[in-house]
Amino acid sequence: MTLSADSFVPRHVAVIMDGNGRWAEQRGLSRTAGHKKGAEALKKLLPYMRDKGVSYVTLYAFSTENWKRPPEEVRTLMDLFRSYLDGDITELKKQGVRVSFIGQRDRFPADLAAKMTTLENETKNLSGFHVVLALSYGGRDDLVQAVRRLAARVLGGEINIDDLDTAAIAGALSTAGIPDPDLIIRTSGEQRISNFLLWESAYSEYYFPKVFWPDFTPAEFDKALAEYALRHRRYGGL
Ligand code: FPP
């Protein structure tokens, strides 16, 4: 039997969208312009990923550490998220896409946090393609929250210490119910996990294209898929 590359499409792709700032700086543009271009790249890529057969996409759009950026840049990113949630994401919703959010929602302006919750509720019964936006997300913080939740259940007598196993921890994380990522892509040439999906990435494959995020086109995603397919042919014992 011949297996096409499509047989090896990752079910869950997680992306660290890195390099918007450098993309802009190389062109003498503002970092804001880089983030806008990054949002455009994302808009083109999501439908392409879905058409390729990917079921889950998690996007690292803002980390717990990104709050330390200059206020002007944080404001720009908030405005970008807001317009994304109002426009492009609503468009995805019409196409039957489920959208959810992981991260510290309470740190966002109230209107943005409310939009996130509404969108989650409105799309929770949609299936086929699930987009998870990691906003003010940090893998360590998510583990801390999970430990607190589990400790409260132990103290409340709901569960015993012996019930604390890998399934219990996975079930207490914000990613509960979402399969672990098969492929993690970080653009811009940096080769770090930067506090993204620390628990969930235990068996993920990594791909580090040199291009900055605004240049991560569908053709670049095809290269990632081709690389992923080769790795699985080697390690899958075919
Ligand atoms: C990393 O590039 C990118 C970010 C911190 C923001 C990611 C946001 C987007 C791609 C905007 C679109 C997303 C949504 C959900 C609308 P960087 O600024 O760290 O780049 P640098 O390392 O070159 O400075």
Side-chain angles (χ1 to χ4, degrees):
M1 187 174 71
T2 310
L3 289 167
S4 71
D6 282 355
S7 311
F8 299 100
V9 170
R11 186 175 178 210
H12 182 177
V13 178
V15 190
I16 302 177
M17 305 182 287
D18 197 11
N20 291 343
R22 278 164 288 165
W23 182 92
E25 279 153 21
Q26 276 190 356
R27 288 161 178 78
L29 301 170
S30 65
R31 294 179 58 83
T32 303
H35 292 312
K36 284 191 179 144
K37 204 74 188 167
E40 283 171 28
L42 180 60
K43 194 174 164 182
K44 286 200 196 98
L45 204 62
L46 284 177
Y48 191 75
M49 288 171 147
R50 184 186 52 188
D51 292 348
K52 281 284 169 178
V54 173
S55 301
Y56 299 83
V57 178
T58 301
L59 300 157
Y60 205 7
F62 198 82
S63 75
T64 44
E65 289 71 37
N66 285 154
W67 293 108
K68 291 186 274 190
R69 291 196 174 191
E72 175 58 29
E73 182 166 346
V74 170
R75 231 184 344 263
T76 297
L77 283 166
M78 294 302 132
D79 288 346
L80 209 53
F81 298 150
R82 192 174 281 111
S83 77
Y84 199 70
L85 296 189
D86 285 337
D88 302 320
I89 287 256
T90 307
E91 187 52 40
L92 287 177
K93 188 177 73 182
K94 283 193 204 135
Q95 293 163 20
V97 178
R98 180 172 177 185
V99 184
S100 53
F101 299 86
I102 54 174
Q104 306 164 322
R105 198 167 311 188
D106 54 358
R107 290 184 74 179
F108 286 93
D111 72 306
L112 251 179
K115 278 183 208 294
M116 294 181 205
T117 304
T118 304
L119 203 53
E120 256 175 8
N121 289 335
E122 285 173 351
T123 63
K124 67 175 181 232
N125 296 320
L126 301 174
S127 57
F129 191 55
H130 188 164
V131 174
V132 181
L133 281 165
L135 290 174
S136 191
Y137 172 86
R140 288 184 173 177
D141 181 67
D142 210 37
L143 278 160
V144 168
Q145 302 311 322
V147 169
R148 286 187 183 159
R149 272 181 216 120
L150 291 170
R153 291 181 66 198
V154 171
L155 285 175
E158 229 182 291
I159 54 172
N160 297 313
I161 291 273
D162 293 344
D163 295 323
L164 297 178
D165 55 12
T166 52
I169 292 174
L173 291 169
S174 65
T175 50
I178 297 168
D180 288 343
D182 301 293
L183 174 64
I184 298 184
I185 299 171
R186 181 177 189 147
T187 55
S188 90
E190 305 289 354
Q191 303 192 5
R192 287 188 295 278
I193 190 75
S194 297
N195 206 8
F196 190 41
L197 303 176
L198 295 181
W199 173 275
E200 299 85 343
S201 62
Y203 293 99
S204 304
E205 295 289 330
Y206 286 94
Y207 181 69
F208 299 111
K210 293 255 184 321
V211 292
F212 295 134
W213 175 252
D215 289 330
F216 194 76
T217 55
E220 289 291 334
F221 182 61
D222 279 343
K223 289 188 208 165
L225 288 182
E227 168 75 24
Y228 176 80
L230 285 176
R231 288 190 205 172
H232 274 243
R233 282 193 183 124
R234 262 207 313 276
Y235 301 141
L238 289 173

